[in-house]
Amino acid sequence: MTVPPQGPALMYVPAFSMKQRITMMANKYEIIGTNPDGTDGPLLAFAQQKRMAFKEEVTFYSDDTKSQPVFSFKARKRIDLGSGYDVFDANQQPIGWFKKEFGKSLLRSSWQLSSAGLESDGTERNPTIAIVRRVWDFIPVVGEIPLPFIFHFDFTDRATGQPVLSVERKMSVRDRYRVSVPDPRLDFRVAAAMTVALDALQSR
């Protein structure tokens, strides 16, 4: 699905974090703004994914009451997840898309990410951690335990090679990701959707 080109994103957030809360029934994601001094700012969005559900769609809400949907991402095809995911605004209008490159991801996860007027590619920063993660996933029972590894993803503009998005996972009591968006063309909603997907869809 194509997205009309434009200049700077209508909804640009240069830095935010994602906190994950894992429960028996669901993974919950809090998208939190980052203040200029690096401290946590306001809650920007909340998403919940049932752990046993088919992960073809995730809806983001304004808060954890889940009363006001603000954006979402959805698989283009239920069976063929390699076809990609589209990101929609609150009115179900497309604002971007992302897709895992399964051929390139055999040893090191790779993604394509697109927002209005922007095409970028992302890969895991550390190839050694990438390989260890794959071994972890193949171990019976252990592979169902959340990954105990810090890993980072970097996305760059396909045309210029300039940084677009950086997602860094920090180990804490709750999984936490620090996200920086140096490219003002990348819509916050697309960046947040990609960040959640890196956690929720990595094993797919």
Side-chain angles (χ1 to χ4, degrees), residues 2-202:
T2 59
V3 180
Q6 63 179 45
L10 296 177
M11 189 176 294
Y12 173 62
V13 177
F16 59 91
S17 64
M18 182 186 79
K19 292 181 180 179
Q20 180 187 22
R21 287 183 285 157
I22 300 175
T23 67
M24 291 293 294
M25 299 302 295
N27 293 339
K28 299 180 180 181
Y29 299 97
E30 298 173 345
I31 310 298
I32 301 169
T34 299
N35 294 321
D37 63 359
T39 59
D40 285 347
L43 179 68
L44 301 178
F46 173 85
Q48 178 174 306
Q49 176 63 55
K50 292 182 179 179
R51 300 199 67 185
M52 301 303 293
F54 188 75
K55 301 175 182 179
E56 80 279 5
E57 183 174 9
V58 173
T59 299
F60 293 77
Y61 301 89
S62 58
D63 56 38
D64 59 7
T65 65
K66 297 188 291 184
S67 59
Q68 182 181 351
V70 287
F71 60 98
S72 62
F73 69 79
K74 184 176 182 179
R76 293 171 180 169
K77 297 180 181 179
R78 289 180 60 92
I79 303 301
D80 181 14
L81 298 184
S83 62
Y85 293 78
D86 291 305
V87 184
F88 300 94
D89 66 13
N91 297 314
Q92 291 300 298
Q93 296 300 306
I95 55 175
W97 60 268
F98 55 86
K99 175 182 178 181
K100 189 171 185 177
E101 297 187 272
F102 286 95
K104 293 183 179 180
S105 297
L106 293 177
L107 294 178
R108 192 175 179 186
S109 289
S110 299
W111 294 78
Q112 295 178 6
L113 174 65
S114 176
S115 188
L118 175 64
E119 303 289 335
S120 65
D121 299 297
T123 58
E124 289 184 78
R125 187 181 302 170
N126 189 318
T128 301
I129 293 296
I131 294 173
V132 172
R133 287 200 311 102
R134 279 147 184 76
V135 173
W136 182 270
D137 286 340
F138 279 109
I139 300 175
V141 180
V142 173
E144 297 299 319
I145 301 173
L147 292 169
F149 311 116
I150 297 174
F151 60 92
H152 309 315
F153 283 83
D154 297 306
F155 290 78
T156 56
D157 187 299
R158 191 172 301 158
T160 66
Q162 294 299 306
V164 170
L165 171 70
S166 177
V167 180
E168 299 187 344
R169 181 181 183 182
K170 307 295 185 181
M171 293 302 293
S172 61
V173 176
R174 297 189 298 179
D175 282 347
R176 185 183 183 101
Y177 295 76
R178 288 287 187 183
V179 183
S180 60
V181 187
D183 194 318
R185 294 174 296 170
L186 183 58
D187 191 296
F188 157 73
R189 296 164 293 184
V190 178
M194 184 74 258
T195 301
V196 169
L198 289 175
D199 183 273
L201 307 177
Q202 263 304 96

